[in-house]
């Protein structure tokens, strides 16, 4: 019996209903809004983020929780705008909501979409069944908070990837009652609006929100438009049983400006590519249900979900895909005395009809590719905690995953036309994890863990231009140690890690706007430092900082020796100084890359360093009404922000994306 059938049976036995979906209603405490008191933000009631922080603090490794008030004064277009101060998360914008997202070098050479990270909303994976996905479906303007679990610390989400997991949690009617309105406007004809409403009635509650976003973008041919809906409704079925239904609808249209050569980035970063009218248009619908049963000493969560998605994507050809993914998962948590236990499992099944056509200025021409792509990803996971001393916890656990990727190719112009070819790859792996968590003093933690991660290739890697390519999984062993805590005015989070990889899935640019070829590297190493330091200098002054050191390289490679891997710079520093109170405040910020990243595997071209200066500000003008300001790149710096890796790059290589241009956005938040 395959692991997917075991997971399916277990989930159905637990009410056939998302296991690790921690929502605001489930985890809300009886406390008030804490630091958010007096501010008009999306949540004004009990704080689900408090319980999320407690779970993060119980993890022996790199984790953090980002609350809505942490980015309330930003115009949050993408994940880059909300978790830029999450230590260890490398985020660089390309255009619109398209960003480079990497944790510990995950998906390092992927020049589009993302890989190596599990993205979730309310505990349900955004990733498709082959683990690829479009993070544009996660719009942070809706979230109460985000949970960031780096590396194997994401076991509680069933993730076994190098990068870990990011979970965005929406409010509920219990925590965000009443009407909330938000409007943003600014540079590049940008207009954004959000309206949400929540209510409670007896044993039930409901929350719903709609958002509209339109902008011409900071480059030519980078206009975007989106309309989104998110909502949920929950009800207590009995004293110990509750259930919640979720629905999400996304209509996203994004023009693609493409990459530039180095000189154009420096002199005309607004330049875009109109050839082929490249775009990424997404229509998606997600439905899910979560039911929780509370037991003496524990609880059971179980869930089901379905994701229907349409992708229309003119690039080198017109990529036209229709996909349907569905899944089940369950989780059991139990604690008694000095022991605690977590058991869970999930299974995701996906079917995609994938077609490609000749690109006639954004319209379909002759058919070039037609295939049915089926995938399954499933896992069971468990973790045992033992506390031999009050201040010490010992943790052992693991994830066993299996899956397959199957492509039935019907038509391929590169193979002469109509064909009947099936390619299939099957995978399975066990990834153990061991850790300890020590608290030498109240508010101070020291942790360490040693873990394995395994990532199965997806169709972007396997279904390349020439046909189905059977690649090996990417495997890694990671050692991590660190500390976090708060003493006096100082709050810190520090992790040091070293991951030794085999078969890292690497890509390189093979032509303008053509998806990259993928190969398994030999031995590579990712090691670095993830640090955050916050100082409460005065009741009206707070300095927060993050620093990342990234040393990613080949190890004795036959072609590249010990060269550094491209894309991510060695050093990255961000700082923000918030001055004032909730009634009136401003916060200047800086992002500094003292030495640019390599652009290629041969280490023949390195991009320049840069520093970006920004400013946010906010003011309460009346009870329940706030104004905010978000100014970016105030000095008008021109530099390379992201790179599509190449084997050997030159200044003429069209693989560079500029940093965001100077922009100013402002808006209003109101709670009724």
């Amino acid at each position: 019996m395959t692991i997917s059938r075991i997971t399916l049976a277990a989930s159905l036995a637990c009410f056939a209903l998302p296991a690790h979906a921690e929502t605001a209603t489930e985890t809300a405490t009886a406390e008030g809004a804490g630091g958010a008191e007096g501010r008009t933000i999306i949540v004004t009631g009990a704080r689900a983020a408090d319980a999320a922080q407690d779970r993060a603090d119980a993890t022996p490794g790199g984790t953090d929780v980002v609350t809505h008030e942490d980015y309330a004064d930003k115009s949050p277009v993408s994940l880059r705008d909300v978790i830029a101060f999450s230590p260890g998360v490398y985020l660089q914008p390309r255009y619109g909501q398209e960003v480079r997202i990497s944790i510990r070098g995950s998906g390092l050479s992927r020049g589009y979409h993302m890989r190596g990270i599990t993205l979730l909303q309310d505990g349900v994976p955004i990733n498709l069944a082959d683990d690829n996905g479009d993070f544009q479906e996660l719009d942070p303007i809706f979230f109460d908070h985000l949970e960031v679990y780096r590396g194997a610390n994401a076991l509680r989400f069933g993730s076994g990837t190098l990068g870990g997991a990011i979970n965005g949690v929406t409010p509920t009617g219990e925590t965000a009652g009443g009407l909330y309105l938000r409007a943003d406007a600014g540079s590049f004809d940008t207009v954004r609006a959000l309206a949400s409403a929540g209510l409670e009635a007896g044993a039930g509650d409901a929350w719903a929100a709609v958002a509209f976003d339109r902008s011409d973008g900071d480059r030519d041919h980078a206009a975007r438009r989106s309309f989104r809906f998110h909502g949920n409704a929950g009800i207590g079925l009995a004293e110990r049983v509750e259930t919640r239904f979720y629905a999400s609808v996304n209509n996203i249209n994004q023009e693609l400006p493409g990459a530039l050569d180095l000189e154009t980035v420096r002199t005309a970063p607004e330049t875009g590519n109109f050839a082929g009218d490249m775009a990424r248009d997404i229509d998606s619908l997600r439905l899910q249900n979560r039911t929780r049963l509370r037991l003496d000493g524990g609880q059971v969560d179980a869930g089901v979900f379905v994701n229907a998605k349409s992708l229309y994507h003119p690039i080198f050809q017109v990529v036209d895909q229709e996909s349907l993914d569905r899944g089940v998962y369950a989780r059991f948590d139990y604690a008694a005395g000095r022991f605690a236990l977590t058991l869970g499992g999930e299974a995701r099944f996906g079917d995609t009809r994938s077609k490609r056509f000749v690109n006639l200025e954004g319209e379909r021409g002759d058919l070039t590719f037609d295939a049915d792509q089926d995938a399954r990803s499933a896992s069971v996971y468990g973790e045992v905690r033992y506390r031999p001393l009050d201040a010490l916890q010992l943790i052992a656990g693991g994830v066993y995953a299996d899956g397959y990727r199957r492509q039935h190719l019907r038509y391929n112009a590169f193979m002469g036309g109509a064909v009947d070819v099936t390619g299939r790859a099957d995978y399975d792996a066990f990834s153990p994890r061991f850790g300890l968590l020590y608290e030498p003093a109240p508010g101070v933690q020291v942790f360490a863990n040693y873990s394995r991660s395994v990532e199965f290739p997806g169709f972007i890697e396997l279904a390349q231009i020439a046909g189905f390519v059977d690649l090996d999984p990417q495997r890694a062993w990671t050692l991590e140690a660190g500390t976090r805590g708060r003493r006096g005015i100082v709050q810190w989070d520090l992790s040091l890690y070293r991951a030794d990889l085999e078969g890292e899935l690497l890509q390189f640019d093979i032509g303008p706007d053509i998806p990259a070829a993928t190969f398994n590297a030999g031995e590579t190493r990712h090691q670095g430092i993830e640090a955050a330091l916050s100082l409460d200098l005065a009741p009206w002054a707070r300095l927060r900082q993050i620093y990342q050191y990234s040393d990613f390289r080949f190890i004795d490679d036959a072609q590249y020796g010990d060269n550094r891997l491209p894309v991510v710079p060695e050093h990255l520093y961000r700082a923000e100084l918030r001055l004032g109170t909730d009634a009136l405040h401003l916060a200047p910020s800086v992002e500094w890359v003292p030495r640019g990243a390599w652009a290629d595997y041969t280490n023949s071209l390195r991009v320049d360093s840069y520093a970006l200066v920004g400013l946010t500000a906010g003011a309460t003008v009346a009870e329940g009404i706030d104004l905010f300001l978000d100014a970016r790149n105030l000095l008008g710096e021109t530099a390379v922000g992201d790179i599509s890796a190449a084997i050997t790059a030159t200044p003429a290589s069209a693989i560079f994306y500029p940093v965001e241009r100077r922009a100013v956005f402002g808006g209003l938040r109101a709670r009724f």
Side-chain angles (χ1 to χ4, degrees):
M1 178 179 289
T2 65
I3 191 170
S4 59
R5 292 194 179 96
I6 296 173
T7 303
L8 178 61
S11 301
L12 292 174
C14 296
F15 306 124
L17 298 165
H20 27 258
E22 304 289 351
T23 70
T25 294
E26 301 155 12
T27 59
T29 69
E31 301 174 7
E37 186 175 356
R39 301 189 68 193
T40 303
I41 58 173
I42 197 167
V43 176
T44 58
R47 288 286 304 280
D50 294 338
Q53 188 63 60
D54 290 342
R55 291 190 298 272
D57 290 343
T59 303
T63 64
D64 68 297
V65 175
V66 180
T67 63
H68 185 271
E69 56 264 29
D70 289 333
Y71 58 91
D73 295 329
K74 298 287 289 184
S75 184
V77 174
S78 69
L79 288 173
R80 164 68 165 73
D81 299 317
V82 301
I83 55 177
F85 281 90
S86 183
V89 182
Y90 182 77
L91 289 144
Q92 289 298 327
R94 297 191 183 108
Y95 43 80
Q97 291 186 315
E98 174 79 9
V99 296
R100 158 84 59 186
I101 179 169
S102 177
I103 301 177
R104 299 181 177 177
S106 62
L108 192 63
S109 63
R110 173 68 68 80
Y112 49 92
H113 302 281
M114 61 105 196
R115 69 159 292 108
I117 299 175
T118 302
L119 292 182
L120 310 98
Q121 180 171 319
D122 295 310
V124 169
I126 299 297
N127 308 60
L128 301 180
D130 70 340
D131 272 334
N132 286 307
D134 289 295
F135 46 79
Q136 290 88 347
E137 293 182 77
L138 280 182
D139 189 336
I141 200 171
F142 289 94
F143 296 146
D144 170 51
H145 64 275
L146 297 96
E147 302 170 280
V148 182
Y149 283 71
R150 305 190 294 275
N153 302 300
L155 180 139
R156 64 176 296 269
F157 292 108
S159 173
T161 64
L162 176 68
I166 299 173
N167 180 39
V169 180
T170 56
T172 68
E174 180 180 354
T175 62
L179 178 65
Y180 173 75
L181 303 174
R182 175 182 174 126
D184 306 28
S187 300
F188 318 118
D189 291 329
T190 298
V191 177
R192 308 187 72 217
L194 169 76
S196 72
L199 59 87
E200 289 187 86
D205 68 271
W207 176 86
V210 293
F212 171 77
D213 175 32
R214 187 201 71 200
S215 178
D216 290 340
D218 71 337
R219 294 178 57 195
D220 298 332
H221 201 263
R224 69 175 190 268
R225 180 185 60 79
S226 69
F227 178 83
R228 306 166 189 267
F229 167 85
H230 295 288
N232 62 75
I235 187 169
L237 302 177
E239 182 179 356
R240 295 193 175 191
V241 182
E242 59 188 38
T243 191
R244 185 166 297 273
F245 296 88
Y246 300 81
S248 296
V249 179
N250 293 282
N251 174 258
I252 306 167
N253 297 278
Q254 172 74 64
E255 293 180 341
L256 307 185
L260 304 174
D261 62 73
L262 202 52
E263 182 62 23
T264 305
V265 168
R266 292 168 176 164
T267 61
E270 72 279 4
T271 303
N273 183 359
F274 290 86
D277 195 18
M278 294 183 295
R280 182 186 293 125
D281 299 338
I282 299 170
D283 287 290
S284 66
L285 168 66
R286 281 199 312 277
L287 302 173
Q288 68 189 73
N289 174 267
R290 183 274 307 144
T291 290
R292 168 168 289 176
L293 169 65
R294 301 185 186 277
L295 308 170
D296 292 334
Q299 63 187 30
V300 176
D301 295 305
V304 296
F305 70 90
V306 60
N307 297 344
K309 179 177 175 180
S310 172
L311 173 66
Y312 187 78
H313 192 16
I315 43 175
F316 74 108
Q317 295 179 5
V318 174
V319 177
D320 191 352
Q321 296 182 344
E322 301 284 340
S323 62
L324 180 66
D325 286 72
R326 57 270 182 210
V328 296
Y329 44 105
R331 177 185 175 95
F332 171 62
D333 289 292
Y334 179 78
R338 294 186 176 272
F339 286 90
L341 171 69
T342 294
L343 296 173
E346 69 167 27
R348 285 177 282 150
F349 308 84
D351 303 311
T352 301
R353 185 65 182 268
S354 180
K355 296 181 180 181
R356 295 200 297 265
F357 302 85
V358 173
N359 184 354
L360 301 178
E361 295 303 314
E363 301 296 328
R364 300 179 186 88
D366 292 338
L367 180 69
T368 62
F369 179 92
D370 184 5
D372 291 323
Q373 297 174 338
D374 306 319
R376 185 196 72 223
S377 292
S379 65
V380 291
Y381 56 93
E383 183 176 85
V384 177
R385 295 170 172 268
Y386 174 61
R387 192 185 292 268
L389 304 171
D390 290 344
L392 177 65
Q393 293 186 61
L394 304 178
I395 298 103
V399 178
Y400 177 73
D402 82 346
Y404 69 81
R405 316 285 185 253
R406 175 184 174 274
Q407 176 175 274
H408 179 202
L409 186 60
R410 303 170 180 273
Y411 188 93
N412 191 337
F414 292 93
M415 301 171 65
V419 295
D420 186 6
V421 178
T422 298
R424 176 171 172 141
D426 292 86
Y427 305 103
D428 71 281
F430 176 66
S431 300
R433 178 172 185 258
F434 308 94
L436 63 86
L437 182 64
Y438 177 57
E439 301 181 35
V444 178
Q445 295 183 328
V446 178
F447 54 81
N449 66 77
Y450 186 56
S451 60
R452 187 180 192 232
S453 63
V454 179
E455 295 176 21
F456 304 152
F459 284 116
I460 288 179
E461 290 81 24
L462 298 170
Q464 299 184 23
I465 302 299
F468 195 84
V469 180
D470 192 0
L471 296 169
D472 293 329
Q474 173 182 301
R475 304 169 300 281
W477 284 96
T478 302
L479 176 64
E480 177 187 4
T483 177
R484 59 176 169 249
R486 186 180 187 101
R487 302 290 285 183
I489 68 168
V490 180
Q491 184 174 353
W492 71 92
D493 187 336
L494 174 67
S495 295
L496 291 79
Y497 67 91
R498 174 171 169 171
D500 291 311
L501 288 78
E502 293 186 8
E504 182 172 3
L505 293 164
L506 295 178
Q507 296 173 310
F508 53 86
D509 184 75
I510 60 174
D513 309 312
I514 297 178
T518 304
F519 61 94
N520 286 114
E523 294 184 21
T524 53
R525 177 171 296 154
H526 295 196
Q527 59 187 359
I529 299 171
E530 304 164 337
L533 179 64
S534 177
L535 302 173
D536 293 328
L537 304 174
W540 47 268
R542 179 191 182 200
L543 175 66
R544 59 174 179 165
Q545 309 161 90
I546 63 111
Y547 167 73
Q548 295 179 34
Y549 171 67
S550 303
D551 179 14
F552 308 149
R553 61 175 68 241
F554 292 100
I555 303 297
D556 295 327
D557 188 81
Q559 183 174 0
Y560 302 113
D562 293 330
N563 283 1
R564 287 186 179 272
L565 294 171
V567 176
V568 176
E570 292 177 61
H571 307 278
L572 172 66
Y573 173 78
R574 291 193 184 102
E576 178 188 79
L577 178 61
R578 188 179 186 273
L579 303 170
T581 66
D582 288 342
L584 178 64
H585 59 271
L586 58 85
S589 63
V590 64
E591 174 180 306
W592 181 36
V593 174
R595 194 181 189 198
W598 290 109
D600 52 17
Y601 296 109
T602 58
N603 289 178
S604 61
L605 179 63
R606 186 195 292 272
V607 300
D608 294 335
S609 61
Y610 67 85
L612 304 179
V613 176
L615 176 73
T616 60
T620 299
V621 296
E623 184 178 357
I625 300 178
D626 292 345
L627 299 177
F628 61 90
L629 175 74
D630 180 7
R632 310 182 181 194
N633 194 3
L634 289 174
L635 301 182
E637 178 85 349
T638 57
V640 172
D642 190 40
I643 305 165
S644 292
I647 294 178
T648 300
T650 70
S653 301
I655 58 173
F656 305 103
Y657 294 90
V659 297
E660 289 180 298
R661 293 165 57 203
R662 182 189 291 117
V664 179
F665 307 99
L668 175 146
R669 301 186 301 268
R671 166 73 65 183
F672 303 99

